[in-house]
Amino acid sequence: MSATSADFAPSPDGGRAGEGGSATPLLRVEALTKRYGPRIGCADVSFDLWPGEVLGIVGESGSGKTTLLNCVSGHLDPDEGRVLYDTRASGVQDVRLMSEPERRMLMRTDWAFVHQNARDGLRMTVSAGANVGERLMGVGARHYGRIRGQALDWLGKVEIAAERIDDRPAAFSGGMQQRLQIARNLVTGPRLVFMDEPTGGLDVSVQARLLDLIRGLVRELGLSAVIVTHDLAVVRLLADRLMVMKGGHVVETGLTDQVLDDPQHAYTQLLVSSVLQV
Amino acid sequence: MTAEAYNFAYLDEQTKRMIRRALLKAVAIPGYQVPFASREMPMPYGWGTGGVQVTAACLTPDDTLKVIDQGADDTTNAVSIRKFFERTAGVETTEETEEATVIQTRHRIPEKPLTEDQILVYQVPIPEPLRFLEPREVETRRMHALAEYGLMHVKLYEDISQHGHIATTYAYPVLVEDRYVMDPSPIPKFDNPKLSNSPALQLFGAGREQRIYAIPPYTQVVSLDFEDHPFDPGQWDEDCALCGASDTYLDEVITDDRGGRMFVCSDTAHCRARRAAGHVGAMGAPYEEAEA
Amino acid sequence: MIDVENVTKTFTLHNQGGAVIPVMQGASLRVAPGECVALTGASGAGKSTLMRMVYGNYLAASGAIRVGGLDVATAEPREILALRRRTLGYVSQFLRVVPRVPTLEVVMEPCLATGMDRAAAEERARGLLARLRIPERLWSLSPLTFSGGEQQRVNIARGFAHEYPALLLDEPTASLDPANRETVLEMIAEAKAGGAAILGIFHDAEARARVCDREIDVGAFAAAA
């Protein structure tokens, strides 16, 4: 008698996000719009992201989810709207109005961006250790031994063997490259992580391992995250909350399991019912 | 065509003005790479077209010019550039460091300390120190503008992780007056300490890349390093085989096909002056005898 | 503790001509602390639908569903997440976990989510797994490799790891052997004694009779089609 046949169970995280305490969202996006000439990238998108919360953005190719992610993360300049971030140093700031040095500093310290293609997020010509150490050196670390120590620590966290520290990422498998990219991004202790199809292009078994790793890190470090993907299984495992996009517009938002198990919008119903059952 | 057919020092006056403007800007912003409209010169790129243009823009008829290549006055590159300015500018030339008012150099700083009356012009092949890791020019310029120099240390980190120490021995990056990271051209790191607080004006010209930069007199120049791997200019176990100097930059010279070798001063003028003053190295003959 | 008031549920099937299927109307019930209430009714009467609405997994079309003072029908997602973390537990029929995560971690997770320290959470998880007769050698393995009965017991251990003031149980004794069934019934009784408000679906009539104080026939809430 239910609209979906998928059985439901609480996600393994049991919903750890939005834990009281904090009175302001970490990130607030207001009426964000980006046009490509006459075409709409994303239109009038608003959402709040609370500390420790993971927001999934799903939709098909061309739905505007990546445009939205790039606008929010400072990689694209939106035409309208505001991106408010609760900075460590000086409270809530409109990221678009920050000076470029401030914004870049924010992007390489308190924010992280995990690209779908690890090659876009790594320096392929330097060793794994240097890839992880770069952000540390970028904020002034000048002690080789300590930088290397932190790099080793992070390689361990992302399950890369210590003896690979001096190897270049070109010699790594796709899954390892993606894990290295995550280590490189998280080494400065960011509070907000943007991920664009983090498991895209990986083998299914590698995907599971990566998802488990991301889930553990998000939980352990209390990260907030915005994850763009077209893979509903990924958001079911990682996201507390879901935003469904179509044609640049948000058509449905809600608790992840609620949106997937009791979708209200026609497009979401189509999306959910299109997933092959294994 | 005769030498008289050229304007003084080859370049036309408008070009020299343009270069001098770039030089003034470079002096005003130590370590900053100023773009300039590099001209075609009658020599191939890589032979010092940038340095030659800077020298041409600085020379006055009263100047005395010295040109060195790897420390030597008598190598092809040095000889041809010296001849070029003898013909096109008619200026005095010299091999003695202290007599020169303008010194154009490739890959060395003279051993003899420079003075406030001297200009040192460097030939620069690649002016951008960040290019090794960031090939996008737009991005490197932004990094300079925002003083985002973490990447420079990534290069040094790679050195240590691969060799156990900073293995960069030439073109060793420096931080100028606490602001711009600069490539000092391919001088040996041995010469890096001489960049700092020098009484002479130091000008850098990159012809192919169309960049000019400068270190004004008495400017602080610091070689980049790590706290636990401090900058080390390096030294030799040997002394100069000809003049016995123990504090100069040495070239290794292969003397036969049975492994014979000697180490001699790379700065030929300095070595000759020492020998003339009576210093004799392990393989050197007394100066008068050698000249005879 | 759980207060369902005049709840309506419809499904709109946009991809089947926008058919609107009313499935429930006027659903009202109340579960007090320390009380266990069973939902009964024929298969398809809407027992699971109602449970899912209480948990916030299905959206109620109208009405109020208050759990510990929060109206789940209108609450923000993060309020529901906080409620699920601290107040409202759910033991479903099937275990859904991330591949590779060891059983012990799976059971500890609800405790860790409430901020309990690791040692205490692990001690609690160990106690529950032992009580439900999961051999210790399996604790370091992912439960996805287990038999159906073992998976169900891991699921129950996980559901009881944190002592939720309100608990939803969907067929907790299904596919259990007599000894484990007995243990689960004891655990439910203990949760009741501890003051938990429990709403459950029990096809096992004997189990229902033993732990439930009242029965509510969901058929009474059937929508006029």
Side-chain angles (χ1 to χ4, degrees), chain A residues 2-274:
Chain A
S2 65
T4 63
S5 61
D7 185 71
F8 140 84
S11 78
D13 265 332
R16 149 207 55 72
E19 181 86 62
S22 177
T24 49
L26 185 65
L27 177 74
R28 166 164 282 172
V29 172
E30 290 178 358
L32 212 64
T33 297
K34 174 73 185 173
R35 295 184 201 88
Y36 299 106
R39 231 162 29 81
I40 288 174
C42 61
D44 196 26
V45 178
S46 302
F47 66 85
D48 286 347
L49 186 72
W50 295 80
E53 192 176 37
V54 178
L55 172 69
I57 303 177
V58 296
E60 63 201 355
S61 303
S63 63
K65 56 191 196 302
T66 297
T67 294
L68 175 63
L69 188 75
N70 285 333
C71 284
V72 174
S73 63
H75 288 87
L76 261 182
D77 193 30
D79 297 312
E80 289 157 35
R82 300 205 294 169
V83 178
L84 302 170
Y85 182 72
D86 189 5
T87 63
R88 284 182 206 257
S90 39
V92 177
Q93 299 231 11
D94 186 342
V95 175
R96 292 182 62 201
L97 300 180
M98 289 168 79
S99 70
E100 194 179 8
E102 283 175 327
R103 188 166 58 242
R104 283 172 67 107
M105 182 57 102
L106 179 73
M107 287 168 71
R108 65 170 195 265
T109 53
D110 216 18
W111 285 11
F113 196 105
V114 176
H115 295 263
Q116 170 174 10
N117 189 342
R119 285 167 181 274
D120 296 334
L122 292 174
R123 285 195 195 281
M124 301 304 285
T125 55
V126 302
S127 68
N131 264 289
V132 179
E134 180 178 344
R135 272 170 71 121
L136 293 172
M137 293 181 250
V139 294
R142 292 292 179 265
H143 190 284
Y144 174 82
R146 283 199 285 273
I147 292 165
R148 196 168 170 85
Q150 274 183 276
L152 275 170
D153 184 38
W154 269 98
L155 290 180
K157 282 187 183 147
V158 299
E159 303 172 18
I160 294 175
E163 70 254 26
R164 304 301 301 270
I165 187 170
D166 293 327
D167 292 349
R168 293 187 176 186
F172 289 4
S173 68
M176 273 174 85
Q177 287 182 3
Q178 202 56 292
R179 297 202 301 276
L180 179 63
Q181 192 192 183
I182 288 169
R184 169 180 161 88
N185 269 282
L186 297 188
V187 68
T188 49
R191 293 185 297 165
L192 175 56
V193 183
F194 299 99
M195 298 192 192
D196 186 7
E197 303 274 8
T199 59
L202 299 176
D203 290 344
V204 177
S205 60
V206 177
Q207 277 188 23
R209 184 175 182 193
L210 188 68
L211 283 176
D212 178 32
L213 179 80
I214 293 173
R215 202 185 53 97
L217 290 172
V218 163
R219 157 74 159 282
E220 195 180 312
L221 306 172
L223 300 174
S224 304
V226 179
I227 299 176
V228 160
T229 180
H230 64 269
D231 187 338
L232 298 183
V234 168
V235 286
R236 179 163 314 251
L237 289 178
L238 292 180
D240 300 307
R241 213 146 54 77
L242 213 54
M243 219 158 77
V244 183
M245 292 190 73
K246 178 174 168 47
H249 296 268
V250 174
V251 297
E252 184 164 358
T253 67
L255 213 52
T256 299
D257 61 77
Q258 181 262 303
V259 172
L260 294 180
D261 294 343
D262 188 13
Q264 306 294 305
H265 190 274
Y267 175 69
T268 316
Q269 290 185 0
L270 182 67
L271 204 65
V272 169
S273 62
S274 303

Side-chain angles (χ1 to χ4, degrees), chain B residues 75-90:
Chain B
T75 52
T76 319
N77 192 229
V79 168
S80 33
I81 291 174
R82 189 163 58 233
K83 277 197 176 148
F84 175 77
F85 281 115
E86 281 169 357
R87 283 185 64 189
T88 61

